[in-house]
Amino acid sequence: MPHARPARTPRTAPTPLPADALNRRIELLRSTAEADPRIEGVLLYGSWTLGEADAHSDLDACLYVREEDVDAFDGREFVGRLAPLKLAYTNMHGILAVVFDDLMRGEFHVEPTGPGIAEIATWRGQVHFPHPEAAVLLDRTGHLTAAARDLATFRPPDPATTAQQLTDELANWTLMLAHIQTRGEMARAHNLLHAVIAPLQLKLCRLLRGSTTHWLTPSRALETDLPPEDVERYATTAGALTPDALRTAAANSWQWSRDLAAEAADRWGTRLPLGLHEEIAVALSPAE
């Protein structure tokens, strides 16, 4: 007997949570952690710490647990006290990822207090806490607040060194793109163009424009962070998964990479392997 298909639920976009509901979730995380003696510190990260959180933001936090309790600590059970969970699992990065019943997403790092807080010093240049006291929800020892304060001043990447690194990375990965494209692996080439090359390109563009606040996620707020002409150039690198569209997008992408690299060389004196750059352009051209 065939199974009856369930009635389709009309598709709707996630309903934004009201601001007071978001704030209540943060306060509930604070009070729940404070009531659990195993947790010695809670640190928010992501858009909340930059003052950019909105109704569609995730709730991202590090939970610093007493070292003698961390192995037995059930992060899923703890996070479930904040609201019912529709999904909870350990993601590909080893982080507890959840979806609450109101469709807010969350990521929770569970770390032993001593080593976990010590590791914060290694985030310098990648993570920025402009308001460390707002990022620290709980600190029983004072060490977490001190570590967050060390990241209160944003230190942008060194222009010349970073521009050279990005210029070389773009040449290397775009040559790989040319080889894969010529082989006919269009899906793989398409992924490489968008998942590897585009973020590197945007970082170089941000470096040149002095817009490095969203360094770790260079596409974030792209439309407002970068000039319209850069947004338009970026749009020409996003091709459909067809051979002709991909070839055009790849050629456009490499031309923009070359233009950005040349601009960086003029400004910071970075090296340009011009011969290699031209050979990559030829390799990206469709065969006659």
Side-chain angles (χ1 to χ4, degrees):
M1 180 177 178
H3 293 286
R5 291 180 179 234
R8 291 195 174 206
T9 303
R11 294 183 180 180
T12 58
T15 302
L17 297 174
D20 60 339
L22 298 173
N23 293 333
R24 284 199 303 271
R25 179 81 35 91
I26 295 291
E27 287 306 313
L28 183 57
L29 172 59
R30 184 201 308 272
S31 61
T32 304
E34 198 166 36
D36 191 326
R38 299 172 300 171
I39 300 179
E40 297 185 309
V42 177
L43 178 70
L44 294 179
Y45 63 95
S47 57
W48 297 94
T49 59
L50 293 174
E52 297 178 348
D54 61 20
H56 300 285
S57 294
D58 306 335
L59 175 54
D60 304 319
C62 295
L63 307 177
Y64 295 100
V65 180
R66 286 189 312 204
E67 292 176 46
E68 61 268 31
D69 294 316
V70 69
D71 288 340
F73 184 81
D74 187 342
R76 185 178 310 197
E77 184 278 330
F78 172 81
V79 174
R81 300 182 212 168
L82 307 182
L85 301 177
K86 288 191 171 182
L87 178 67
Y89 74 106
T90 301
N91 70 14
M92 65 182 75
H93 304 295
I95 301 166
L96 173 61
V98 306
V99 175
F100 294 104
D101 62 342
D102 51 16
L103 297 187
M104 175 189 275
R105 296 177 61 253
E107 288 189 353
F108 296 85
H109 297 250
V110 177
E111 304 285 351
T113 300
I117 293 177
E119 187 182 9
I120 293 174
T122 68
W123 301 354
R124 189 170 288 110
Q126 302 181 58
V127 178
H128 177 211
F129 295 120
H131 308 290
E133 283 73 19
V136 177
L137 294 186
L138 173 66
D139 183 10
R140 298 192 198 273
T141 67
H143 298 310
L144 181 56
T145 302
R149 282 176 180 158
D150 283 344
L151 301 184
T153 301
F154 180 64
R155 294 175 175 85
D158 176 71
T161 303
T162 308
Q164 185 67 68
Q165 176 77 25
L166 291 169
T167 296
D168 294 342
E169 293 277 13
L170 284 166
N172 177 51
W173 291 110
T174 305
L175 179 58
M176 182 178 180
L177 169 67
H179 285 305
I180 292 171
Q181 183 176 271
T182 302
R183 186 187 289 150
E185 293 184 88
M186 292 302 168
R188 186 180 174 199
H190 188 268
N191 179 70
L192 181 64
L193 177 62
H194 294 87
V196 178
I197 294 171
L200 296 170
Q201 218 166 33
L202 289 175
K203 283 191 171 184
L204 183 54
C205 186
R206 284 184 175 278
L207 196 66
L208 287 160
R209 306 296 175 254
S211 178
T212 54
T213 301
H214 298 116
W215 187 250
L216 283 183
T217 312
S219 60
R220 182 178 175 85
L222 174 73
E223 299 81 359
T224 54
D225 282 0
L226 295 179
E229 53 268 28
D230 287 324
V231 178
E232 290 171 11
R233 288 294 295 272
Y234 172 72
T236 68
T237 71
L241 184 50
T242 64
D244 288 344
L246 183 57
R247 287 192 190 96
T248 299
N252 289 341
S253 171
W254 180 232
Q255 186 57 57
W256 192 31
S257 290
R258 295 183 74 179
D259 292 345
L260 292 169
E263 188 178 343
D266 287 343
R267 188 177 306 181
W268 297 305
T270 48
R271 301 181 310 278
L272 291 179
L274 295 177
L276 174 61
H277 283 193
E278 187 57 36
E279 288 180 286
I280 293 172
V282 172
L284 287 169
S285 302
E288 297 295 335

